[in-house]
Amino acid sequence: MNGIIIQKAGIKEWEIIQSLGRKTFIETFAESNTEANMNVYLTESFTEEKLKSELTNPDSLFFIAWDDESPVGYLKLNIGKAQTEPQDESFLEIERIYVLAAYHGKKVGQLLYEKALESARLLHKSTIWLGVWEHNLRALRFYEKNGFAPFGKHLFVMGDDQQTDIMMQKKLDV
């Protein structure tokens, strides 16, 4: 590994985002969810139409982490009306930091998070927020380590299962 490079993604990269999204979601959540619920989520969330729409939304930003020629993770950010839950205009949402399991512990998630911080500052946002499944202890520890604190909860529906996400936020020095 010569070093991870983070690059902005556009509509041409929809298939890379689709592949990474599906693979990382399966790696992270398949053991804790039914196959049927996983299939519903994967089918609905990673269609060509949905991804192209998200990639062309001016209020969403995507970045891909590359290890040489191989995509190993991605970041999805939302502002304004693209946020998955209404928040103040001064907020930026991290909707996804997804990293292939083989790259866990290699600071790829940290590099993507740092890109989120940089984007928030460039966009003059005062707060970063996100939702994390209450049973995703690895992600919860990651965000706590990076200064996030809980501020609420919301439901995340996967198939016929209603799950609780812990909403976390971090105020930025502006």
Side-chain angles (χ1 to χ4, degrees):
M1 187 160 72
N2 293 340
I4 301 297
I5 304 296
I6 309 297
Q7 292 182 324
K8 190 167 186 330
I11 195 161
K12 290 188 236 175
E13 287 81 30
W14 77 268
E15 290 174 295
I16 295 168
I17 299 291
Q18 181 185 58
S19 176
L20 280 171
R22 287 179 174 166
K23 185 167 187 179
T24 55
F25 199 84
I26 290 167
E27 289 176 344
T28 305
F29 300 110
E31 287 186 16
S32 304
N33 293 281
T34 67
E35 185 177 346
N37 285 340
M38 289 290 293
N39 286 336
V40 167
Y41 182 82
L42 293 169
T43 300
E44 292 174 355
S45 297
F46 297 104
T47 66
E48 177 180 353
E49 180 181 356
K50 185 171 187 342
L51 288 173
K52 284 182 173 180
S53 174
E54 291 175 350
L55 283 158
T56 57
N57 184 333
D59 286 343
S60 292
L61 297 168
F62 285 79
F63 297 90
I64 298 174
W66 296 89
D67 181 9
D68 293 322
E69 302 285 318
S70 301
V72 298
Y74 81 97
L75 167 68
K76 181 182 181 199
L77 304 174
N78 298 313
I79 60 171
K81 293 185 185 333
Q83 295 178 85
T84 59
E85 194 154 303
Q87 299 293 334
D88 188 278
E89 282 294 318
S90 66
F91 281 41
L92 176 139
E93 176 189 19
I94 297 175
E95 184 176 347
R96 296 184 184 136
I97 293 182
Y98 285 2
V99 176
L100 294 173
Y103 284 81
H104 287 179
K106 296 183 179 180
K107 306 293 182 196
V108 176
Q110 190 67 37
L111 289 171
L112 289 167
Y113 167 68
E114 289 168 9
K115 181 55 78 172
L117 275 178
E118 176 188 319
S119 298
R121 288 190 176 104
L122 288 171
L123 294 167
H124 308 289
K125 302 301 179 186
S126 64
T127 304
I128 296 180
W129 76 279
L130 49 90
V132 180
W133 186 34
E134 65 185 344
H135 297 296
N136 189 347
L137 301 181
R138 178 185 188 89
L140 287 167
R141 282 192 305 270
F142 175 83
Y143 291 115
E144 287 169 354
K145 178 186 82 166
N146 280 291
F148 283 77
F151 75 99
K153 295 180 179 185
H154 67 190
L155 285 180
F156 177 83
V157 179
M158 187 179 325
D160 64 4
D161 188 20
Q162 292 191 351
Q163 301 176 355
T164 302
D165 276 0
I166 297 171
M167 296 168 61
M168 302 179 82
Q169 67 180 359
K170 177 179 179 171
K171 301 279 187 199
L172 302 177
D173 298 327
V174 280

